[in-house]
Amino acid sequence: MHKYSVKCPTCGEVQDPMSLTCSKGHDSLLRTFYKTSQLIPRDLPGIWKFYDWLPVDDIIPEGSGKTITYKSEAFAKELGLSNLYVAFNGYWPEKNASMMTCTFKDLEAFPTMQRLLERQDKRVMVVASAGNTARSFAHVCCITGQTLLLVVPENSAHRLWTLHENTSPICLVTVEGDYYNAIEVANKVAAREGFVTEGGAKNVARRDGMGTVMLDAVFTMKELPMHYFQAVGSGTGGISAWEASMRLIQDGRFGKELPQLHLAQNLPCAPLISMWLGNTATKDTVNENCPKDMYDDVLFNRKPPFSANGGVRDALQATGGRMYGIDNAAAAYAQQLFEKLENIDINPASAIAVAALIEAVEKENIDKSDSIVLNITGGGMERLRMDCNLHSIVPDMHISAHDSEAELKIVEIISQKFKR
Ligand SMILES: *Cc1c(COP(=O)(O)O)cnc(C)c1O
């Protein structure tokens, strides 16, 4: 057997490793199966420490960073918790954390682009994003030189910064409109010859990359935690934590119980909560103004992979999981408390997870001595500004979502920019 194979969890059939869907048409998230059942961390940089459980045959040595897991003292004490571990994704040199885009989207972008490199796939990668995913793909492509088309809503453009001076592999298009307008335009372009999409939650490289958060936590704690807290938009990180935990149980050294997933969304823009509760969107969990006024709009996703086999519902059911709805006031309180006690700035999305943990303690959903992993999905941006110059990525073009020529204009600018 090759290092890994990709199978459909519904029919068990082996699939093309790059496929995003089952060849038999099952509505499932394909899953990776690795030859190595006991994971031995490698002496490789960043995320590649977990090389044996990543669906790649080589690495991008420069620039990846990885999760840093540490046992919380001050914040844990404030909540009365004796076994709280923080899985930190971002920049924090005092703790050797060097994820230079300051969110865990790097964990998805590196393995995804490595797989294209291995296949000598020269197509232009198309990414539509509210910001953090775009920033991570931009970072990787500035390192590898792979060409990238970013389609971003104009009011997310402030998230598009990089440490790289040369951003020539990137073409940035800003769209007047929301994230869905950006996705629509991007999908049309991506369907053309010469372009490729990353596939979101369906992409096993993205999920196994995100799964390294759980791997890092468990190698630090020497056992599976009882609880895993994360702020979610698509829920992909929750699915990934569950899949990594199943592998760790198979490994045999870390325990037999799946960690319980505690997934948090920002009220009143929380479609996953509506789906989980079984009603269609209610006023309390999604309204027509969303994602306006969210604490962090990177957490808004209208079409999360909820009901597909191996999706968010299965992850919650298998782990006895819970969902939390967090309002802006609770998030703001959680953010300042965490930042003050742990002495690092965090991304607003991460504060939603911190608030969920505070709520879980208050409602006694967890015992104070339980082992807990709190995924800080992004942090250290203010810390990074102290050390480095952040360059804004300059848009190559601005389009209106209602422009019927939008797609053609993008194709035209790509061929000029990349001489193809
Ligand atoms: C994308 C993102 C999330 C949500 O991730 P999921 O894909 O829903 O797991 C949480 N925090 C930050 C900082 C993010 O960028």
Side-chain angles (χ1 to χ4, degrees):
M1 179 182 161
H2 180 69
K3 179 184 173 191
Y4 67 93
S5 61
V6 173
K7 295 181 191 169
C8 168
T10 307
C11 62
E13 203 91 355
V14 175
Q15 310 286 325
D16 178 291
M18 292 299 280
S19 181
L20 299 173
T21 52
C22 171
S23 56
K24 295 224 165 117
H26 293 119
D27 179 22
S28 34
L29 300 183
L30 302 183
R31 195 174 292 160
T32 326
F33 291 82
Y34 292 97
K35 190 168 79 180
T36 307
S37 64
Q38 280 213 338
L39 180 62
I40 309 291
R42 300 276 193 122
D43 187 14
L44 289 172
I47 189 179
W48 312 113
K49 176 176 179 182
F50 304 108
Y51 175 80
D52 289 297
W53 285 3
L54 289 169
V56 294
D57 292 320
D58 203 345
I59 68 166
I60 298 164
E62 193 191 325
S64 81
K66 73 168 190 61
T67 308
I68 297 291
T69 310
Y70 70 93
K71 191 165 186 193
S72 164
E73 286 171 17
F75 182 67
K77 190 166 167 222
E78 174 77 19
L79 299 191
L81 300 172
S82 54
N83 242 324
L84 172 64
Y85 287 79
V86 171
F88 184 84
N89 295 283
Y91 180 72
W92 193 356
E94 292 72 21
K95 292 240 189 273
N96 283 323
S98 57
M99 211 173 274
M100 303 311 274
T101 67
C102 299
T103 82
F104 77 156
K105 295 294 193 301
D106 281 21
L107 300 175
E108 307 181 272
F110 275 87
T112 298
M113 296 314 292
Q114 169 58 31
R115 270 153 65 94
L116 290 194
L117 275 180
E118 283 166 15
R119 285 164 180 78
Q120 297 175 354
D121 189 330
K122 297 273 165 50
R123 289 177 293 175
V124 178
M125 173 59 83
V126 184
V127 172
S129 155
N132 293 344
T133 303
R135 194 164 70 246
S136 289
F137 276 86
H139 173 58
V140 182
C141 291
C142 286
I143 292 169
T144 62
Q146 289 164 289
T147 49
L148 175 68
L149 166 62
L150 296 178
V151 187
V152 174
E154 63 185 338
N155 45 18
S156 300
H158 65 280
R159 296 206 182 93
L160 272 283
W161 52 263
T162 180
L163 299 177
H164 302 279
E165 273 171 34
N166 178 357
T167 58
S168 58
I170 304 164
C171 178
L172 171 60
V173 174
T174 53
V175 180
E176 180 193 329
D178 70 7
Y179 179 44
Y180 289 86
N181 299 124
I183 289 185
E184 221 173 302
V185 176
N187 283 348
K188 283 191 203 151
V189 177
R192 292 181 161 245
E193 203 175 306
F195 295 89
V196 59
T197 41
E198 37 83 26
K202 294 184 174 141
N203 176 351
V204 295
R206 282 189 74 153
R207 298 208 313 280
D208 293 359
M210 275 188 157
T212 64
V213 176
M214 182 62 83
L215 303 182
D216 195 78
V218 167
F219 275 85
T220 304
M221 301 167 70
K222 315 287 182 226
E223 62 179 6
L224 280 152
M226 295 165 72
H227 307 282
Y228 172 85
F229 284 79
Q230 194 203 305
V232 292
S234 68
T236 311
I239 300 168
S240 307
W242 167 51
E243 291 176 320
S245 301
M246 289 193 279
R247 290 186 185 115
L248 288 161
I249 288 175
Q250 287 286 310
D251 177 300
R253 293 171 291 173
F254 305 106
K256 295 195 173 88
E257 296 282 340
L258 287 170
Q260 185 180 10
L261 296 185
H262 300 259
L263 306 181
Q265 291 211 295
N266 186 194
L267 295 176
C269 301
L272 274 170
I273 296 182
S274 307
M275 294 174 189
W276 178 235
L277 295 178
N279 42 359
T280 45
T282 68
K283 263 217 159 59
D284 297 338
T285 53
V286 186
N287 69 42
E288 66 280 4
N289 294 328
C290 294
K292 202 167 162 282
D293 299 330
M294 281 181 77
Y295 196 69
D296 191 340
D297 64 14
V298 305
L299 294 179
F300 194 62
N301 187 315
R302 272 178 228 269
K303 290 185 188 159
F306 182 74
S307 53
N309 187 8
V312 177
R313 175 167 49 208
D314 287 349
L316 285 167
Q317 275 173 352
T319 65
R322 288 175 185 269
M323 295 274 339
Y324 297 73
I326 303 297
D327 64 26
N328 289 7
Y333 171 77
Q335 175 152 9
Q336 62 84 25
L337 187 67
F338 185 93
E339 291 184 339
K340 184 179 75 178
L341 293 172
E342 296 295 288
N343 215 4
I344 187 71
D345 67 284
I346 59 173
N347 196 291
S350 311
I352 303 289
V354 178
L357 175 60
I358 294 173
E359 184 179 319
V361 173
E362 278 168 2
K363 295 204 168 142
E364 301 185 3
N365 293 345
I366 55 175
D367 276 339
K368 294 200 166 174
S369 59
D370 287 355
S371 57
I372 301 159
V373 169
L374 170 61
N375 186 347
I376 296 297
T377 45
M381 211 161 97
E382 296 311 316
R383 183 68 192 77
L384 181 66
R385 274 185 217 283
M386 289 163 59
D387 290 357
C388 300
N389 246 329
L390 278 48
H391 312 281
S392 305
I393 304 178
V394 181
D396 292 87
M397 188 167 70
H398 180 69
I399 54 165
S400 156
H402 308 293
D403 183 348
S404 58
E405 309 264 280
E407 183 191 342
L408 286 176
K409 287 180 180 166
I410 294 177
V411 172
E412 174 64 24
I413 197 163
I414 287 277
S415 64
Q416 278 173 17
K417 181 151 185 166
F418 300 140
K419 312 255 180 303
R420 46 194 297 153

